Amino acid sequence: MDSALRDHGGDLDAALRRFGGDAGDWLDLSTGINPVPYPVPPLSRHAVAALPTKSDMARLRAAAAACYGTSVHVTPLAGAQGAIQAVPRLMAPGRARVLSPTYNEHAAALRGAGWTVGEEKAPDALAGADCAVVVNPNNPDGARHDPDRLAALAERVGLLVVDESFADPEPGLSLALRLHQGPQNILVLRSFGKFYGLAGLRLGFALSSRAIARTLADMAGPWPVSGPAIEAALHALPDTGWQAATIARLTRDAARLDRLARGAGWPLVGGTPLFRTYATPDAAAAQEHLARRRIWSRVFPYSPHWLRLGLAGSPQQWHRLAAALDQPPPSSQA
C-alpha cells in the first residue's frame, strides 16, 4: 500500500499544518477513541519504576480473559497495532485477503512483509486465502458479521484474523466466547485504548490457540507492554459498572451525533457506538468546513463522500459541534 494511503485518524498535526492554530484550539473527532476515559487511580511506584514481572503479566492475562469471556490464550501487546504488525510474521508470506474497505494497516502490514494481498468486498471471497482478515464491527462503515459465520469461514482459510477493536460496546459480536470450541486457526485482536479512552497507554490483546500465542509472545519479547498500562488495565478490565454505564452513554451520544448529522443533510453510512460515518456531497469540503471551526474529522482516499466523526465528550464540545453542523458547507445544502 502506498504510504499516502496509509493514513489514520488522530493526525492533528496535518490539521495544524493546513489550518493553523494550536493543538489546544482543536476538537479532534477524527478517531474512534472514547472521549471520556476510564478514571485511572494514581499509579504505584512499582508501575512506573520497575520492569513488569511475570506475575504482573499473568494477572493482566487473567483479567483480560475474564473481561472478554474467553478461556483461550491471551497475549498482551502494544495495542491491537502490535498484533497487526506481528500477523505477517506468523507464517511464510503467501496469499492474503482482507475484507474491505477497512482499517488500512492490515493490508499495509501484510504487503510490507511480502504477502500478496487482495482486498475483497464479501466474506465468502476470503475463502482459500492463506490469511484472511475481517474487522468486526468494521471501521469505517460499521458492517457487522455473525460470529458463527466467521467461525465457519475459518475452516476455509489458513489463518483467520478477526479485529474486534471496536467490539467492546457490542460483546455479542465477539468470537471470544466461542474460541475454545475451535477451530484453532483464529486470531482475535482486541484494543484496550479505544473503549477505555486510554489509547496513549498502547495496550491490546491477541486471543488465540496456544501455538499462535507462543509464537506471538516470542516475537513480542519479555516486556511487550508497560507497567502503567498493566496497572491501569487491572483497574479497568474488571470494572463492570463503569463498562455498563459507558456503553449506555456511548449509545446515547452516537444517536445524538446522528441527529446532528441528519440536520446537516448527512445520512448515516454506518458506524459503532464509538464513531459514525456519514455520506456527504463532498467529504473534502465537509472536512474543511469543520476544520475552519477547529474541528478535525476523518475522510478516506477511496471515497469522495464518506466522512467519519468520533463523539464529543463535554457539553462545551457538543455545543461547538452542533453550531458547526447547523451551518453545513454550501455543497451540503439543499
Side-chain angles (χ1 to χ4, degrees):
M1 177 176 291
D2 187 274
S3 60
L5 299 182
R6 199 169 177 171
D7 61 330
H8 308 93
D11 185 12
L12 196 58
D13 287 340
L16 296 174
R17 286 193 301 269
R18 287 180 59 191
F19 300 101
D22 298 321
D25 301 331
W26 283 80
L27 172 56
D28 186 0
L29 302 184
S30 67
T31 75
I33 298 168
N34 180 357
V36 184
Y38 184 83
V40 180
L43 297 174
S44 69
R45 186 178 184 279
H46 171 77
V48 297
L51 287 170
T53 65
K54 290 182 178 179
S55 60
D56 293 333
M57 293 295 293
R59 291 166 60 212
L60 177 62
R61 289 193 296 268
C67 180
Y68 300 136
T70 189
S71 58
V72 300
H73 292 268
V74 177
T75 307
L77 295 162
Q81 186 66 38
I84 292 170
Q85 297 297 130
V87 163
R89 296 183 287 142
L90 287 172
M91 62 185 79
R95 295 168 303 142
R97 294 174 186 163
V98 179
L99 192 61
S100 300
T102 194
Y103 181 54
N104 59 42
E105 283 293 335
H106 288 285
L110 287 159
R111 287 192 178 109
W115 287 72
T116 300
V117 181
E119 299 189 38
E120 308 294 344
K121 301 296 184 184
D124 285 346
L126 304 179
D130 299 309
C131 177
V133 180
V134 178
V135 179
N136 191 36
N138 191 44
N139 171 20
D141 64 4
R144 288 151 172 81
H145 305 280
D146 179 77
D148 290 332
R149 293 189 64 184
L150 293 179
L153 174 63
E155 303 281 3
R156 304 162 65 195
V157 302
L159 173 69
L160 177 63
V161 179
V162 182
D163 184 342
E164 295 183 353
S165 289
F166 290 99
D168 292 75
E170 303 173 82
L173 284 177
S174 179
L175 269 169
L177 293 170
R178 58 157 299 155
L179 278 177
H180 66 282
Q181 301 171 10
Q184 299 295 298
N185 63 329
I186 301 176
L187 174 61
V188 170
L189 313 185
R190 299 296 296 242
S191 167
F192 175 78
K194 292 179 177 64
F195 177 68
Y196 293 95
L198 299 169
L201 289 178
R202 307 309 306 134
L203 177 62
F205 303 97
L207 316 181
S208 69
S209 67
R210 179 188 296 271
I212 294 174
R214 281 178 173 170
T215 304
L216 285 172
D218 286 345
M219 287 192 290
W223 301 290
V225 297
S226 71
I230 294 171
E231 189 159 291
L234 289 176
H235 286 288
L237 290 169
D239 195 340
T240 56
W242 184 90
Q243 292 158 14
T246 297
I247 291 171
R249 176 183 56 78
L250 292 172
T251 302
R252 291 192 305 269
D253 285 352
R256 180 179 184 179
L257 184 55
D258 288 347
R259 291 192 296 271
L260 292 176
R262 280 197 303 271
W266 299 347
L268 179 68
V269 172
T272 76
L274 283 162
F275 67 82
R276 316 300 281 171
T277 298
Y278 301 105
T280 71
D282 183 334
Q287 184 183 57
E288 181 169 347
H289 168 79
L290 293 173
R292 297 294 179 192
R293 290 151 181 81
R294 299 292 189 263
I295 299 172
W296 195 227
S297 57
R298 179 81 161 91
V299 296
F300 302 93
Y302 50 77
S303 172
H305 302 294
W306 286 8
L307 179 127
R308 194 189 69 191
L309 292 173
L311 304 180
S314 68
Q316 294 82 2
Q317 290 176 349
W318 279 106
H319 177 75
R320 282 182 63 184
L321 181 58
L325 293 179
D326 191 47
Q327 295 181 330
S331 61
S332 298
Q333 296 174 347

